[in-house]
Amino acid sequence: MKLTIVGCSGSFPGPSSPASCYLVTANDGERDWRILLDLGSGALGVLQRYVDLSDIDGVLLSHLHPDHCMDLTGLHIAVHWDPNGWTAGRIPVWGPAATKKRITIALDMEPPTDLGEDFEFHEWAAEEPVELGPFRFTAYRARHPIAEAYALRVECTEPDGAGGVMRRVLTYSGDTDSCAGLVEAARECDLFLCEAAYHEGRDDAIDGVHLTGLRAGQAAHDADAKRLLLTHLPVWNDANRSVAEAQEAYGGPIAVAVAGVHYTV
């Protein structure tokens, strides 16, 4: 399973990265499958460096804040108005219950666009697994100031090249503060892609919104995650400070997500 960081800037696009969007690719022995974890502000353009839009097999939205979902409006335009005719069929989208309504309002078309023509919408049911190609993904309730927010656990089974199979687990925190659902989503995962939008001493008194590096490290420790990859750092954050905070609670490998970098899970 390969993870490509399309965008990782926290809360709004930065000068070197769009907002949250992560491309996950795996092979089932017959073909490559490609899913997106979030499709935030500014991500759609950069995404096309790595994948043809017609090859997207699914979009998984952690929640409906613009920096995590708003470029679904652009993807709709790409699908609906392709002058050559879109032949890939409807793109499956998993998200909170209000996803279709949220994107319809953002498009502000008159008469309202029927997004069901282009997307196959599915609502998250917490802790109920969904299977797609070689992927099995499960949403866990997170803690963020919006009606529904989820951490996403992505499990993948691929051929190992020797006649067997290998299983890998990637967990994506979405946006969240510390909570039991986050730890369960990351339990013994191979790579924990975890937000760290806040700093200790500056933001740690704010409850129920985001993690600090320390809180992210504590979640990784509690979940026995094998690797921690910090993401969703706003442009005003010091990445070294985030890592140092995480190291106070977690003794495993820690890195900071960088747009354009690929990781093997």
Side-chain angles (χ1 to χ4, degrees):
M1 179 163 52
K2 183 172 78 172
L3 169 67
T4 299
I5 310 298
V6 178
C8 56
S9 183
S11 300
F12 59 93
S16 59
S17 174
S20 297
C21 182
Y22 309 92
L23 172 64
V24 183
T25 306
N27 191 285
D28 65 355
E30 296 182 4
R31 72 171 180 92
D32 287 336
W33 290 74
R34 302 169 179 89
I35 62 172
L36 301 178
L37 306 180
D38 284 342
L39 188 54
S41 314
L44 188 65
V46 175
L47 174 64
Q48 293 169 78
R49 298 176 187 172
Y50 309 110
V51 64
D52 190 291
L53 298 182
S54 63
D55 289 333
I56 297 171
D57 292 298
V59 181
L60 283 57
L61 299 178
S62 64
H63 66 293
L64 298 180
H65 280 153
D67 59 319
H68 292 261
C69 75
M70 200 47 61
D71 270 23
L72 200 63
T73 58
L75 184 58
H76 156 71
I77 299 299
V79 173
H80 198 82
W81 298 104
D82 185 346
N84 298 313
W86 183 268
T87 60
R90 295 190 301 163
I91 299 174
V93 177
W94 282 266
T99 299
K100 183 177 179 180
K101 179 180 179 181
R102 178 78 167 94
I103 302 304
T104 299
I105 291 172
L107 283 163
D108 196 24
M109 301 292 283
E110 190 60 46
T113 300
D114 182 7
L115 293 176
E117 295 179 8
D118 306 313
F119 301 123
E120 180 185 305
F121 287 100
H122 304 272
E123 297 179 12
W124 288 125
E127 300 184 38
E128 291 188 11
V130 176
E131 295 190 2
L132 179 68
F135 298 111
R136 183 175 190 259
F137 37 87
T138 310
Y140 290 78
R141 281 282 191 172
R143 192 159 69 100
H144 194 56
I146 193 170
E148 291 183 64
Y150 297 95
L152 305 177
R153 182 180 179 90
V154 180
E155 301 171 82
C156 177
T157 302
E158 293 182 282
D160 64 3
V165 296
M166 54 184 176
R167 177 179 171 274
R168 295 289 184 267
V169 180
L170 164 68
T171 296
Y172 169 49
S173 68
D175 280 4
T176 184
D177 202 343
S178 302
C179 62
L182 177 65
V183 174
E184 286 307 306
R187 183 72 63 194
E188 297 180 349
C189 66
D190 295 285
L191 181 62
F192 187 14
L193 178 64
C194 187
E195 72 117 299
Y198 284 171
H199 276 328
E200 291 290 318
R202 185 190 71 192
D203 314 299
D204 51 295
I206 304 173
D207 182 67
V209 183
H210 289 294
L211 298 165
T212 63
L214 177 62
R215 293 173 184 172
Q218 188 64 56
H221 170 81
D222 293 346
D224 288 328
K226 295 184 176 70
R227 286 192 289 164
L228 176 59
L229 183 60
L230 301 176
T231 192
H232 200 271
L233 276 63
V235 297
W236 48 67
N237 272 27
D238 179 346
N240 291 327
R241 179 174 170 181
S242 297
V243 170
E245 289 179 8
Q247 288 173 331
E248 293 181 34
Y250 176 68
I254 303 172
V256 175
V258 176
V261 176
H262 308 278
Y263 299 86
T264 299
V265 182

